[in-house]
Amino acid sequence: MQHDPFHRLPADAVTVLPVGQGAVIFRQGDRATGLFRVIRGSVVLRRATATGAPVVLHRATTGQLFAEASVFSAEYHCDAVCTQDGDVARIDKAAVAQALRADPDFAESFARLLAVQVQQYRQILELMSIQSARDRVLSAVHSGLLSGSVVEFSARIGLTHEACYRALRRLVDEGRLVKTARGRYGPKP
């Protein structure tokens, strides 16, 4: 991943964990021991509303970090649940905190990594403000967000996969997108 600072940490600070679909990595209120990166698969961060309804706060996919705030928190503020089989790397909180204090290059690289993620989150928020499924899908494809399956893509941009497939089909029929293979779409050249 671009601007990856974690190679500067001691080898024992990063632990790779195999995870299965439905596995809980941590629960809200658990003691925060580290942040995580999805190596393969996907993980959702979710919390219950005041009425008890579950809300997905973030969906982390291959290469993305989650629970970054745990470096500065005593406990996790949501649940992390795997939505696909895969692997996650647990990055030790104490090692990150020590490196932030002692290694200016690590601190700068970590800040750059977080800045890129903030930009990505803002892009998703911008897309979510687009009411029309068709327009949201078109903008997301033009932004390069359709890199995995259509089901994963639809969840990432806040649509049901059925609505996403209908929008993709309509955009192809209109000549706005091209279907390059099964489940693969791109901007019209």
Side-chain angles (χ1 to χ4, degrees):
M1 177 173 239
Q2 187 180 23
H3 309 297
D4 189 342
F6 303 113
H7 71 278
R8 301 178 70 85
L9 297 176
D12 64 350
V14 179
T15 306
V16 176
L17 309 167
V19 292
Q21 182 176 357
V24 175
I25 297 170
F26 56 77
R27 293 240 182 246
Q28 182 174 349
D30 286 353
R31 185 174 66 86
T33 59
L35 63 145
F36 296 83
R37 172 175 281 156
V38 178
I39 296 171
R40 182 179 57 86
S42 66
V43 174
V44 294
L45 299 183
R46 65 182 183 207
R47 184 172 21 213
T49 65
T51 62
V55 173
V56 173
L57 306 170
H58 176 61
R59 182 178 312 276
T61 58
T62 300
Q64 293 182 322
L65 294 177
F66 62 97
E68 306 91 324
S70 68
V71 174
F72 304 104
S73 180
E75 62 186 38
Y76 294 111
H77 298 105
C78 58
D79 298 341
V81 181
C82 299
T83 56
Q84 295 177 342
D85 293 346
D87 301 288
V88 298
R90 183 188 154 284
I91 305 161
D92 184 69
K93 170 184 172 172
V96 171
Q98 173 60 30
L100 285 169
R101 286 188 297 275
D103 183 347
D105 291 335
F106 176 88
E108 182 177 345
S109 292
F110 189 61
R112 285 180 185 273
L113 179 61
L114 295 178
V116 167
Q117 286 202 180
V118 167
Q119 289 173 327
Q120 292 168 345
Y121 298 153
R122 287 180 178 156
Q123 180 183 34
I124 294 295
L125 287 173
E126 180 181 333
L127 285 169
M128 298 294 255
S129 71
I130 301 171
Q131 295 300 307
S132 158
R134 177 193 164 280
D135 293 345
R136 187 182 303 179
V137 167
L138 182 62
S139 292
V141 170
H142 278 279
S143 295
L145 296 176
L146 179 53
S147 57
S149 73
V150 172
V151 172
E152 187 177 275
F153 171 70
S154 62
R156 188 169 186 200
I157 63 170
L159 295 172
T160 65
H161 66 276
E162 296 89 355
C164 189
Y165 276 114
R166 284 191 300 272
L168 287 165
R169 184 177 56 241
R170 183 173 168 202
L171 289 162
V172 169
D173 291 347
E174 292 172 0
R176 305 289 308 269
L177 295 178
V178 291
K179 185 173 183 176
T180 57
R182 184 171 185 236
R184 301 284 180 229
Y185 301 83
K188 181 105 177 167

